[in-house]
Each structure stands twice: as C-alpha cells, then as structure tokens.
PDB file of all heavy atoms in Angstrom:
ATOM      1  N   ASN A 134      -4.914  -6.412   1.659  1.00  0.00           N
ATOM      2  CA  ASN A 134      -4.160  -6.114   2.869  1.00  0.00           C
ATOM      3  C   ASN A 134      -4.506  -4.726   3.431  1.00  0.00           C
ATOM      4  O   ASN A 134      -4.612  -4.538   4.641  1.00  0.00           O
ATOM      5  CB  ASN A 134      -2.657  -6.185   2.583  1.00  0.00           C
ATOM      6  CG  ASN A 134      -2.205  -7.618   2.327  1.00  0.00           C
ATOM      7  OD1 ASN A 134      -2.884  -8.559   2.739  1.00  0.00           O
ATOM      8  ND2 ASN A 134      -1.079  -7.782   1.658  1.00  0.00           N
ATOM      9  N   LEU A 135      -4.686  -3.747   2.511  1.00  0.00           N
ATOM     10  CA  LEU A 135      -5.053  -2.413   2.965  1.00  0.00           C
ATOM     11  C   LEU A 135      -6.436  -2.415   3.621  1.00  0.00           C
ATOM     12  O   LEU A 135      -6.662  -1.770   4.648  1.00  0.00           O
ATOM     13  CB  LEU A 135      -5.043  -1.430   1.795  1.00  0.00           C
ATOM     14  CG  LEU A 135      -3.661  -0.995   1.287  1.00  0.00           C
ATOM     15  CD1 LEU A 135      -3.816  -0.137   0.044  1.00  0.00           C
ATOM     16  CD2 LEU A 135      -2.915  -0.227   2.375  1.00  0.00           C
ATOM     17  N   ALA A 136      -7.348  -3.170   3.033  1.00  0.00           N
ATOM     18  CA  ALA A 136      -8.688  -3.253   3.603  1.00  0.00           C
ATOM     19  C   ALA A 136      -8.658  -3.887   4.980  1.00  0.00           C
ATOM     20  O   ALA A 136      -9.340  -3.438   5.911  1.00  0.00           O
ATOM     21  CB  ALA A 136      -9.606  -4.050   2.674  1.00  0.00           C
ATOM     22  N   ALA A 137      -7.878  -4.942   5.127  1.00  0.00           N
ATOM     23  CA  ALA A 137      -7.764  -5.600   6.428  1.00  0.00           C
ATOM     24  C   ALA A 137      -7.162  -4.661   7.468  1.00  0.00           C
ATOM     25  O   ALA A 137      -7.601  -4.602   8.617  1.00  0.00           O
ATOM     26  CB  ALA A 137      -6.916  -6.866   6.296  1.00  0.00           C
ATOM     27  N   ALA A 138      -6.149  -3.903   7.041  1.00  0.00           N
ATOM     28  CA  ALA A 138      -5.526  -2.962   7.965  1.00  0.00           C
ATOM     29  C   ALA A 138      -6.504  -1.869   8.385  1.00  0.00           C
ATOM     30  O   ALA A 138      -6.568  -1.467   9.550  1.00  0.00           O
ATOM     31  CB  ALA A 138      -4.282  -2.338   7.321  1.00  0.00           C
ATOM     32  N   ALA A 139      -7.270  -1.378   7.410  1.00  0.00           N
ATOM     33  CA  ALA A 139      -8.249  -0.325   7.717  1.00  0.00           C
ATOM     34  C   ALA A 139      -9.310  -0.837   8.682  1.00  0.00           C
ATOM     35  O   ALA A 139      -9.716  -0.134   9.612  1.00  0.00           O
ATOM     36  CB  ALA A 139      -8.904   0.172   6.430  1.00  0.00           C
ATOM     37  N   LEU A 140      -9.760  -2.091   8.475  1.00  0.00           N
ATOM     38  CA  LEU A 140     -10.766  -2.668   9.362  1.00  0.00           C
ATOM     39  C   LEU A 140     -10.214  -2.816  10.774  1.00  0.00           C
ATOM     40  O   LEU A 140     -10.882  -2.503  11.765  1.00  0.00           O
ATOM     41  CB  LEU A 140     -11.222  -4.016   8.819  1.00  0.00           C
ATOM     42  CG  LEU A 140     -12.234  -4.763   9.687  1.00  0.00           C
ATOM     43  CD1 LEU A 140     -13.504  -3.936   9.845  1.00  0.00           C
ATOM     44  CD2 LEU A 140     -12.550  -6.122   9.067  1.00  0.00           C
ATOM     45  N   ALA A 141      -8.985  -3.274  10.889  1.00  0.00           N
ATOM     46  CA  ALA A 141      -8.373  -3.437  12.208  1.00  0.00           C
ATOM     47  C   ALA A 141      -8.247  -2.099  12.924  1.00  0.00           C
ATOM     48  O   ALA A 141      -8.509  -1.982  14.123  1.00  0.00           O
ATOM     49  CB  ALA A 141      -6.984  -4.087  12.064  1.00  0.00           C
ATOM     50  N   LEU A 142      -7.871  -1.040  12.165  1.00  0.00           N
ATOM     51  CA  LEU A 142      -7.744   0.280  12.761  1.00  0.00           C
ATOM     52  C   LEU A 142      -9.099   0.803  13.227  1.00  0.00           C
ATOM     53  O   LEU A 142      -9.232   1.378  14.310  1.00  0.00           O
ATOM     54  CB  LEU A 142      -7.127   1.251  11.742  1.00  0.00           C
ATOM     55  CG  LEU A 142      -6.911   2.695  12.223  1.00  0.00           C
ATOM     56  CD1 LEU A 142      -5.990   2.722  13.434  1.00  0.00           C
ATOM     57  CD2 LEU A 142      -6.352   3.546  11.094  1.00  0.00           C
ATOM     58  N   ALA A 143     -10.127   0.566  12.410  1.00  0.00           N
ATOM     59  CA  ALA A 143     -11.467   1.025  12.782  1.00  0.00           C
ATOM     60  C   ALA A 143     -11.943   0.339  14.047  1.00  0.00           C
ATOM     61  O   ALA A 143     -12.516   0.968  14.934  1.00  0.00           O
ATOM     62  CB  ALA A 143     -12.437   0.761  11.635  1.00  0.00           C
ATOM     63  N   ILE A 144     -11.704  -0.979  14.140  1.00  0.00           N
ATOM     64  CA  ILE A 144     -12.115  -1.716  15.332  1.00  0.00           C
ATOM     65  C   ILE A 144     -11.369  -1.213  16.562  1.00  0.00           C
ATOM     66  O   ILE A 144     -11.952  -0.986  17.620  1.00  0.00           O
ATOM     67  CB  ILE A 144     -11.890  -3.231  15.136  1.00  0.00           C
ATOM     68  CG1 ILE A 144     -12.853  -3.753  14.050  1.00  0.00           C
ATOM     69  CG2 ILE A 144     -12.089  -3.979  16.434  1.00  0.00           C
ATOM     70  CD1 ILE A 144     -12.588  -5.190  13.651  1.00  0.00           C
ATOM     71  N   ALA A 145     -10.067  -0.992  16.420  1.00  0.00           N
ATOM     72  CA  ALA A 145      -9.282  -0.496  17.541  1.00  0.00           C
ATOM     73  C   ALA A 145      -9.756   0.885  17.964  1.00  0.00           C
ATOM     74  O   ALA A 145      -9.898   1.186  19.150  1.00  0.00           O
ATOM     75  CB  ALA A 145      -7.795  -0.458  17.170  1.00  0.00           C
ATOM     76  N   GLY A 146     -10.023   1.758  16.969  1.00  0.00           N
ATOM     77  CA  GLY A 146     -10.493   3.095  17.288  1.00  0.00           C
ATOM     78  C   GLY A 146     -11.831   3.083  17.986  1.00  0.00           C
ATOM     79  O   GLY A 146     -12.054   3.823  18.935  1.00  0.00           O
ATOM     80  N   SER A 147     -12.729   2.223  17.528  1.00  0.00           N
ATOM     81  CA  SER A 147     -14.040   2.145  18.150  1.00  0.00           C
ATOM     82  C   SER A 147     -13.942   1.661  19.583  1.00  0.00           C
ATOM     83  O   SER A 147     -14.674   2.100  20.457  1.00  0.00           O
ATOM     84  CB  SER A 147     -14.947   1.202  17.339  1.00  0.00           C
ATOM     85  OG  SER A 147     -15.130   1.707  16.032  1.00  0.00           O
ATOM     86  N   ALA A 148     -13.029   0.760  19.851  1.00  0.00           N
ATOM     87  CA  ALA A 148     -12.894   0.207  21.204  1.00  0.00           C
ATOM     88  C   ALA A 148     -12.395   1.258  22.184  1.00  0.00           C
ATOM     89  O   ALA A 148     -12.789   1.278  23.344  1.00  0.00           O
ATOM     90  CB  ALA A 148     -11.930  -0.984  21.179  1.00  0.00           C
ATOM     91  N   THR A 149     -11.516   2.165  21.731  1.00  0.00           N
ATOM     92  CA  THR A 149     -10.958   3.163  22.635  1.00  0.00           C
ATOM     93  C   THR A 149     -11.737   4.453  22.632  1.00  0.00           C
ATOM     94  O   THR A 149     -11.533   5.314  23.477  1.00  0.00           O
ATOM     95  CB  THR A 149      -9.497   3.472  22.246  1.00  0.00           C
ATOM     96  OG1 THR A 149      -9.491   4.017  20.913  1.00  0.00           O
ATOM     97  CG2 THR A 149      -8.649   2.236  22.287  1.00  0.00           C
ATOM     98  N   GLY A 150     -12.643   4.620  21.643  1.00  0.00           N
ATOM     99  CA  GLY A 150     -13.374   5.871  21.552  1.00  0.00           C
ATOM    100  C   GLY A 150     -12.521   6.995  21.005  1.00  0.00           C
ATOM    101  O   GLY A 150     -12.830   8.157  21.193  1.00  0.00           O
ATOM    102  N   SER A 151     -11.422   6.731  20.298  1.00  0.00           N
ATOM    103  CA  SER A 151     -10.495   7.772  19.868  1.00  0.00           C
ATOM    104  C   SER A 151     -10.289   7.773  18.363  1.00  0.00           C
ATOM    105  O   SER A 151      -9.296   8.267  17.879  1.00  0.00           O
ATOM    106  CB  SER A 151      -9.141   7.582  20.564  1.00  0.00           C
ATOM    107  OG  SER A 151      -8.592   6.324  20.215  1.00  0.00           O
ATOM    108  N   PHE A 152     -11.226   7.217  17.612  1.00  0.00           N
ATOM    109  CA  PHE A 152     -11.044   7.098  16.169  1.00  0.00           C
ATOM    110  C   PHE A 152     -11.615   8.318  15.460  1.00  0.00           C
ATOM    111  O   PHE A 152     -12.812   8.535  15.438  1.00  0.00           O
ATOM    112  CB  PHE A 152     -11.717   5.828  15.654  1.00  0.00           C
ATOM    113  CG  PHE A 152     -11.520   5.608  14.182  1.00  0.00           C
ATOM    114  CD1 PHE A 152     -10.272   5.295  13.686  1.00  0.00           C
ATOM    115  CD2 PHE A 152     -12.591   5.718  13.318  1.00  0.00           C
ATOM    116  CE1 PHE A 152     -10.095   5.080  12.344  1.00  0.00           C
ATOM    117  CE2 PHE A 152     -12.416   5.510  11.971  1.00  0.00           C
ATOM    118  CZ  PHE A 152     -11.166   5.188  11.466  1.00  0.00           C
ATOM    119  N   ALA A 153     -10.748   9.162  14.915  1.00  0.00           N
ATOM    120  CA  ALA A 153     -11.130  10.247  14.015  1.00  0.00           C
ATOM    121  C   ALA A 153     -12.083  11.266  14.633  1.00  0.00           C
ATOM    122  O   ALA A 153     -12.995  11.744  13.984  1.00  0.00           O
ATOM    123  CB  ALA A 153     -11.737   9.672  12.742  1.00  0.00           C
ATOM    124  N   GLU A 154     -11.866  11.607  15.900  1.00  0.00           N
ATOM    125  CA  GLU A 154     -12.685  12.658  16.494  1.00  0.00           C
ATOM    126  C   GLU A 154     -12.287  14.028  15.968  1.00  0.00           C
ATOM    127  O   GLU A 154     -11.152  14.249  15.534  1.00  0.00           O
ATOM    128  CB  GLU A 154     -12.541  12.663  18.024  1.00  0.00           C
ATOM    129  CG  GLU A 154     -13.166  11.493  18.722  1.00  0.00           C
ATOM    130  CD  GLU A 154     -12.216  10.317  18.904  1.00  0.00           C
ATOM    131  OE1 GLU A 154     -11.086  10.387  18.370  1.00  0.00           O
ATOM    132  OE2 GLU A 154     -12.595   9.354  19.581  1.00  0.00           O
ATOM    133  N   THR A 155     -13.217  14.973  16.039  1.00  0.00           N
ATOM    134  CA  THR A 155     -12.937  16.375  15.742  1.00  0.00           C
ATOM    135  C   THR A 155     -13.222  17.178  16.998  1.00  0.00           C
ATOM    136  O   THR A 155     -14.351  17.185  17.498  1.00  0.00           O
ATOM    137  CB  THR A 155     -13.825  16.886  14.594  1.00  0.00           C
ATOM    138  OG1 THR A 155     -13.562  16.123  13.412  1.00  0.00           O
ATOM    139  CG2 THR A 155     -13.553  18.353  14.315  1.00  0.00           C
ATOM    140  N   VAL A 156     -12.223  17.820  17.548  1.00  0.00           N
ATOM    141  CA  VAL A 156     -12.373  18.608  18.773  1.00  0.00           C
ATOM    142  C   VAL A 156     -12.594  20.066  18.391  1.00  0.00           C
ATOM    143  O   VAL A 156     -11.827  20.646  17.626  1.00  0.00           O
ATOM    144  CB  VAL A 156     -11.142  18.459  19.681  1.00  0.00           C
ATOM    145  CG1 VAL A 156     -11.297  19.321  20.936  1.00  0.00           C
ATOM    146  CG2 VAL A 156     -10.915  17.004  20.048  1.00  0.00           C
ATOM    147  N   VAL A 157     -13.651  20.672  18.945  1.00  0.00           N
ATOM    148  CA  VAL A 157     -14.002  22.054  18.631  1.00  0.00           C
ATOM    149  C   VAL A 157     -13.931  22.880  19.912  1.00  0.00           C
ATOM    150  O   VAL A 157     -14.649  22.603  20.882  1.00  0.00           O
ATOM    151  CB  VAL A 157     -15.412  22.147  18.024  1.00  0.00           C
ATOM    152  CG1 VAL A 157     -15.761  23.602  17.708  1.00  0.00           C
ATOM    153  CG2 VAL A 157     -15.511  21.290  16.773  1.00  0.00           C
ATOM    154  N   ASN A 158     -13.078  23.882  19.899  1.00  0.00           N
ATOM    155  CA  ASN A 158     -12.929  24.766  21.051  1.00  0.00           C
ATOM    156  C   ASN A 158     -13.108  26.235  20.703  1.00  0.00           C
ATOM    157  O   ASN A 158     -12.950  27.098  21.569  1.00  0.00           O
ATOM    158  CB  ASN A 158     -11.552  24.579  21.694  1.00  0.00           C
ATOM    159  CG  ASN A 158     -11.441  23.285  22.475  1.00  0.00           C
ATOM    160  OD1 ASN A 158     -12.270  23.001  23.335  1.00  0.00           O
ATOM    161  ND2 ASN A 158     -10.437  22.488  22.159  1.00  0.00           N
ATOM    162  N   ALA A 159     -13.398  26.546  19.439  1.00  0.00           N
ATOM    163  CA  ALA A 159     -13.522  27.929  18.997  1.00  0.00           C
ATOM    164  C   ALA A 159     -14.892  28.154  18.369  1.00  0.00           C
ATOM    165  O   ALA A 159     -15.505  27.232  17.818  1.00  0.00           O
ATOM    166  CB  ALA A 159     -12.420  28.260  17.987  1.00  0.00           C
ATOM    167  N   ASP A 160     -15.355  29.394  18.428  1.00  0.00           N
ATOM    168  CA  ASP A 160     -16.642  29.740  17.852  1.00  0.00           C
ATOM    169  C   ASP A 160     -16.654  29.503  16.346  1.00  0.00           C
ATOM    170  O   ASP A 160     -15.614  29.551  15.672  1.00  0.00           O
ATOM    171  CB  ASP A 160     -16.974  31.206  18.131  1.00  0.00           C
ATOM    172  CG  ASP A 160     -17.245  31.485  19.597  1.00  0.00           C
ATOM    173  OD1 ASP A 160     -17.557  30.532  20.335  1.00  0.00           O
ATOM    174  OD2 ASP A 160     -17.134  32.658  20.010  1.00  0.00           O
TER     175      ASP A 160
END
C-alpha cells in the first residue's frame, strides 16, 4: 500500500511539475 501511494504521489507530482523541487535564492 505504501508503494502504491508513493507511485501515485510521484505521478501526480510529475504531472504538475511540483514534485520535490528545491528553490535556491541565496548565494
């Protein structure tokens, strides 16, 4: 069940372009 949930989250994140980004604004 955890694996299925993780896969669903990854697919959703990939579709929106918002999965686990790192934003860098400082030197």
Side-chain angles (χ1 to χ4, degrees):
N134 290 338
L135 285 174
L140 177 61
L142 181 59
I144 293 172
S147 298
T149 62
S151 61
F152 183 69
E154 290 90 354
T155 299
V156 178
V157 180
N158 286 307
D160 292 340

